[in-house]
Amino acid sequence: GQQVMQIPQYQHVQEGEDFTTYCNSSTTLSNIQWYKQRPGGHPVFLIQLVKSGEVKKQKRLTFQFGEAKKNSSLHITATQTTDVGTYFCASHSGNTGKLIFGQGTTLQVKP
Amino acid sequence: KAGVTQTPRYLIKTRGQQVTLSCSPISGHRSVSWYQQTPGQGLQFLFEYFSETQRNKGNFPGRFSGRQFSNSRSEMNVSTLELGDSALYLCASSQGTGQFQPQHFGDGTRLSIL
């Protein structure tokens, strides 16, 4: 079945450094959604990408969808302690409501 | 607007017992999905309900079942509990079903099996 691989699993950065997490699939994805889960919290929807090569920005966060729709990335510029948490990518399987999640990247930010 | 509400927040059960978890979606949302989250397996899709019908199902044994009521509230049941069922069970709602629907998650029910 459809799988979404996400790397790295963990990332420790100094506050102010940049951070990037990557999602890859062997099959073409219909969409990519990104979620953030704070420690002890629940996943919160950040954004959705649908078009090939799409790039969207939210303040210091930049989301990209690959040209072949098989990969995506989330880049955070100048991390802050409020960015701490686990970032998940996810994609819908086929034309269904079944959402397949990547394993997540846990970001730690040292002040 | 109130968010997704899950009850109870915590549960402790023993092997062989059964458990029922409840989820109330955001008002106006008709789709409810359930996910299991564990440190080893991450977030795994259990099933999705829309208009009281199961629309999609993940790769879980038949011990895991669910239902949705006419007011869109949903329940998930796990029978003959096993140690490996210890996890955070998350419910998520969306306005519609199918692709491109952002999921709005509740705080989850943390289930511990002794």
Side-chain angles (χ1 to χ4, degrees), chain A residues 30-31 33 35 37 40-45 48 50 88 92 94-103, chain B residues 33 35 37 40-43 45 48 56-59 88 90 97-103 105-107:
Chain A
S30 57
N31 65 334
Q33 295 182 347
Y35 292 81
Q37 185 173 23
H42 58 265
V44 174
F45 174 77
Q48 175 167 251
V50 177
F88 292 95
H92 282 100
N95 187 22
T96 75
K98 181 178 179 180
L99 197 57
I100 308 299
F101 279 83
Q103 286 295 95
Chain B
S33 297
Y35 296 84
Q37 186 173 31
Q41 298 298 317
L43 273 158
F45 175 85
E48 180 200 15
N56 296 283
K57 192 176 190 310
N59 298 323
L88 179 65
L90 291 161
T97 184
Q99 285 181 321
F100 312 139
Q101 297 290 324
Q103 300 293 302
F105 285 84
D107 288 332

Side-chain angles (χ1 to χ4, degrees), chain B residues 43-56:
Chain B
L43 273 158
Q44 291 194 292
F45 175 85
L46 280 156
F47 27 65
E48 180 200 15
Y49 286 86
F50 182 81
S51 293
E52 301 177 65
T53 302
Q54 186 181 90
R55 291 298 183 97
N56 296 283

